[in-house]
Amino acid sequence: MPDKIDILVVEDDEDINQLLCKIIKKSGYYPQSAYSGTEAIMYLEKQNWDLILLDLMLPGMDGEAVLEKIREQGVMPVIIISAKNEKETKVSTLRSGADDFITKPFDIDEVSARIDSLLRRYRYTNEATERVLTHKDIQLNLEEKTVYVNGQKISLTVREYHILKLFMSSPKKIFSKANVFESVWNEPFYGDDNTVNVHISNLRNKLSQANPNEEYIETIWGMGYRMKS
């Protein structure tokens, strides 16, 4: 497993949220509390999460809507923790993309065991499948840090590689300039658009040189960038 496992805890009851965070810390993982659906979306846009604990009855945007947003962004394991224990709710959320469902009131040891089990399952399947990210004819090898386009190896700078990796990790997600800058440069974004623009322009040029007949990165005006489907 990686050194740092980040888990987003989306629960509006402060006592339950803090209890879940304690369970997570005890297992050696790193929790982040969110107390509403809107706050959860904000954290989802900032980074990728190794696992999400999600309550259904949230102020503002409810848990079902948050789950839908999570699934739009890519593959992240989700455990629903809810007092809604009707069979229809469980079946509906599992079919909508949740991986597990725990009913309140919950047993602390059971929550801990299910978190461990789900992380193991995702890590096991991802080790085999996520060493190489693919999109159209791009192959990005995460271990070797190499990129092939249209069968030929291309040379990228460190920044260009990390931008492409970011986009390919969640190909349906639109990344704002702030998302890109803060993820790749690991610094706060103060509105210097040109830095991100220049790097993405250079990346596009290199991809285009390898295959002029294909477009890989699209600009969503007023919003940002994503991989072109």
Side-chain angles (χ1 to χ4, degrees):
M1 283 198 182
D3 294 333
K4 191 169 184 284
I5 301 284
D6 293 310
I7 299 178
L8 183 62
V9 181
V10 189
E11 164 64 62
D12 64 318
D13 184 293
E14 187 168 358
D15 291 337
I16 296 174
N17 196 311
Q18 291 307 307
L19 175 59
L20 290 168
C21 288
K22 282 181 185 175
I23 295 169
I24 290 164
K25 285 178 184 172
K26 194 175 177 183
S27 297
Y29 308 137
Y30 293 80
Q32 172 61 59
S33 296
Y35 294 95
S36 69
T38 308
E39 190 180 5
I41 297 301
M42 182 186 76
Y43 283 116
L44 285 165
E45 289 174 348
K46 283 180 75 173
Q47 71 175 80
N48 288 324
W49 298 89
D50 295 289
L51 189 142
I52 299 165
L53 299 182
L54 178 62
D55 184 23
L56 293 179
M57 292 184 282
L58 295 167
M61 181 182 286
D62 65 24
E64 285 93 342
V66 174
L67 180 60
E68 192 177 323
K69 289 285 186 186
I70 292 168
R71 285 296 162 250
E72 285 175 6
Q73 289 195 13
V75 179
M76 279 177 272
V78 179
I79 300 177
I80 301 294
I81 299 185
S82 177
K84 286 175 142 184
N85 60 358
E86 300 90 354
K87 180 183 174 183
E88 292 79 8
T89 303
K90 291 182 182 179
V91 170
S92 171
T93 52
L94 290 169
R95 282 185 172 157
S96 297
D99 297 275
D100 204 349
F101 195 109
I102 299 174
T103 305
K104 296 176 186 175
F106 51 77
D107 179 83
I108 290 172
D109 291 332
E110 182 187 359
V111 171
S112 178
R114 292 209 192 188
I115 289 171
D116 288 342
S117 174
L118 192 53
L119 284 170
R120 270 198 313 273
R121 201 184 331 154
Y122 264 78
R123 293 291 158 196
Y124 178 77
T125 54
N126 288 354
E127 275 177 12
T129 59
E130 290 194 358
R131 285 180 183 145
V132 177
L133 300 178
T134 59
H135 183 82
K136 295 184 178 179
D137 60 5
I138 304 176
Q139 289 190 318
L140 186 151
N141 189 306
L142 294 169
E143 288 186 353
E144 298 175 2
K145 292 185 167 53
T146 55
V147 177
Y148 285 82
V149 180
N150 197 25
Q152 59 180 299
K153 187 176 180 180
I154 65 170
S155 177
L156 300 179
T157 67
V158 173
R159 303 282 195 213
E160 290 162 3
Y161 170 84
H162 283 292
I163 290 169
L164 183 60
K165 177 185 166 187
L166 178 69
F167 290 171
M168 290 181 69
S169 297
S170 301
K172 293 182 179 178
K173 179 178 174 180
I174 299 170
F175 291 91
S176 67
K177 291 189 177 87
N179 291 152
V180 175
F181 190 86
E182 289 172 2
S183 297
V184 174
W185 276 261
N186 290 313
E187 296 174 15
F189 181 72
Y190 295 116
D192 178 14
D193 290 357
N194 202 43
T195 303
V196 173
N197 286 346
V198 168
H199 281 80
I200 290 179
S201 176
N202 291 340
L203 173 59
R204 276 176 164 153
N205 287 337
K206 290 180 180 181
L207 295 173
S208 178
Q209 284 169 15
N211 187 353
N213 299 317
E214 191 61 83
E215 188 180 345
Y216 299 100
I217 299 169
E218 64 179 339
T219 300
I220 311 298
W221 296 109
M223 298 178 72
Y225 307 93
R226 72 175 170 200
M227 299 304 291
K228 187 172 177 64
S229 57

